[in-house]
Amino acid sequence: MERNKVISIVNQKGGVGKTTTALNMASWLSIYAKSKVLLIDTDGQANLTACVNIDKNKIKGSTYDLLTNDNIKAEDIIYKDNSILFDMIISDERLNNIDLILNGVLARERQLSRKLESVISKYDYIIIDCSPSLNLATINALVTSDYILIPVQADYLSIRGTAKLLESINKVKEQLNPKLDVLGVFVTMYDNRKINDKNIYETIQEQFKEKAFNTFIRENVRLKESPIEKKSIYEYDKNCNGFIDYYNLMIEIWKRLGGQVNDK
Ligand SMILES: Nc1ncnc2c1ncn2[C@@H]1O[C@H](COP(=O)(O)OP(=O)(O)OP(=O)(O)O)[C@@H](O)[C@H]1O
Ligand SMILES: [Mg+2]
């Protein structure tokens, strides 16, 4: 099984389920695979940070500090608390200006990868939630990653966007990070009642072939509610579609990472 791997959740389209996936993936790996996980929020919107039960008094720094301050090490700012399932590097709105701040800085695309070198061996998986833009925070995430995971919303415009996304990923791969690989693509916010959504699922299967996951994530209001309670879907409701879908998706992901599965 692969360990010490960095996986970024990426799509430049907004609101497609990246943050929801990051939270539930990190939680699944911790609960069901007993993995040690570091979850990193690289989005200036800091939605992921808001989904986690963080005690503001215990925050020592954020992704912004890591990317912009040479004197700050990852060890200094990783947020740890027994009440959460994983370690975390939180985000704040200063990250929205990262392109301006890092303008002209040497090796600005490699800040994150350099800073994580000293901690990577401590974690089975590092999961990075990216913003819906290809800014320097996202580029830093891609340069650091072994894999990217792409959620695609079940709508026509989302499918069109994936071609562009793959182009950008290939550029990063060629110029900055040859080891970068697509772990897979999956459909989110799927609505059974819409014929269109079935077509989109089939299109994704044809376009991405072995990279497409069979599991799709249905629209489920419980997935919207659980972050308000600062919980993953696994802790929030074990009987809803959101639980079933994210559980099944994680089994597929786990197999791709070379993990063993005891089939029921
Ligand atoms: N399968 C789902 N069913 C219903 N609601 C969902 C589902 N997945 C995500 N949501 C909700 O949709 C909204 C957008 O999801 P999320 O924040 O995960 O997307 P995102 O890709 O991270 O967005 P952004 O690009 O702004 O970072 C959130 O309110 C979330 O709770
Ligand atoms: Mg998000």
Side-chain angles (χ1 to χ4, degrees):
M1 186 183 47
E2 300 189 60
R3 288 197 175 275
N4 315 121
K5 293 293 173 193
V6 183
I7 304 166
S8 280
I9 301 166
V10 191
N11 194 329
Q12 84 284 19
K13 185 155 191 309
V16 298
K18 293 182 288 294
T19 300
T20 306
T21 303
L23 174 68
N24 288 308
M25 182 171 184
S27 303
W28 191 95
L29 287 168
S30 169
I31 299 170
Y32 297 102
K34 306 276 179 269
S35 298
K36 184 120 177 71
V37 180
L38 174 65
L39 184 58
I40 307 181
D41 189 348
T42 63
D43 184 356
Q45 298 178 92
N47 288 341
L48 179 61
T49 303
C51 294
V52 179
N53 194 12
I54 300 278
D55 178 350
K56 286 216 167 75
N57 298 317
K58 290 191 192 160
I59 295 174
K60 298 207 179 86
S62 70
T63 304
Y64 177 86
D65 299 309
L66 203 58
L67 291 178
T68 58
N69 188 333
D70 265 347
N71 298 320
I72 290 180
K73 297 200 214 54
E75 291 90 324
D76 303 333
I77 58 137
I78 288 176
Y79 183 94
K80 296 178 194 212
D81 195 277
N82 287 337
S83 70
I84 57 176
L85 293 164
F86 34 74
D87 291 351
M88 185 156 182
I89 301 180
I90 64 127
S91 181
D92 58 70
E93 75 284 346
R94 289 176 299 164
L95 212 49
N96 289 324
N97 296 321
I98 195 70
D99 286 19
L100 270 176
I101 303 288
L102 288 184
N103 187 18
V105 172
L106 198 67
R108 59 189 187 273
E109 299 94 351
R110 297 189 189 279
Q111 299 293 328
L112 186 64
S113 112
R114 204 162 50 81
K115 293 287 182 96
L116 290 180
E117 264 171 28
S118 58
V119 297
I120 192 152
S121 65
K122 296 182 187 155
Y123 294 99
D124 297 317
Y125 298 100
I126 298 181
I127 308 294
I128 307 181
D129 183 31
C130 294
S131 77
S133 97
L134 217 63
N135 63 12
L136 271 172
T138 303
I139 303 283
N140 265 277
L142 293 177
V143 169
T144 310
S145 295
D146 298 286
Y147 294 114
I148 55 166
L149 181 62
I150 308 174
V152 178
Q153 196 182 341
D155 77 27
Y156 174 62
L157 289 177
S158 291
I159 295 228
R160 292 189 60 219
T162 52
K164 215 172 148 225
L165 176 62
L166 289 179
E167 252 173 53
S168 314
I169 290 163
N170 277 332
K171 255 191 211 155
V172 172
K173 190 176 162 83
E174 277 166 25
Q175 296 175 17
L176 296 162
N177 179 10
K179 72 173 191 286
L180 187 65
D181 198 3
V182 175
L183 185 60
V185 182
F186 64 95
V187 172
T188 57
M189 301 182 195
Y190 183 97
D191 184 344
N192 268 325
R193 292 160 301 187
K194 294 190 193 141
I195 296 169
N196 187 36
D197 285 9
K198 287 196 188 97
N199 292 340
I200 280 164
Y201 177 76
E202 279 156 21
T203 308
I204 292 283
Q205 301 295 317
E206 282 162 23
Q207 233 177 47
F208 292 94
K209 303 197 170 61
E210 76 285 350
K211 293 287 186 196
F213 287 104
N214 293 322
T215 307
F216 51 84
I217 309 294
R218 286 167 286 185
E219 251 175 19
N220 182 227
V221 69
R222 307 299 265 170
L223 288 166
K224 269 193 206 296
E225 293 166 0
S226 72
I228 300 169
E229 303 287 323
K230 314 260 184 199
K231 282 179 180 160
S232 71
I233 198 66
Y234 309 108
E235 301 155 280
Y236 184 67
D237 181 356
K238 289 199 163 65
N239 295 307
C240 67
N241 287 341
F243 176 95
I244 296 168
D245 295 345
Y246 267 109
Y247 192 94
N248 289 336
L249 178 69
M250 281 310 305
I251 294 283
E252 277 195 75
I253 289 175
W254 186 238
K255 284 182 182 163
R256 279 192 199 181
L257 292 168
Q260 298 288 317
V261 176
N262 304 324
D263 286 319
K264 290 161 241 158

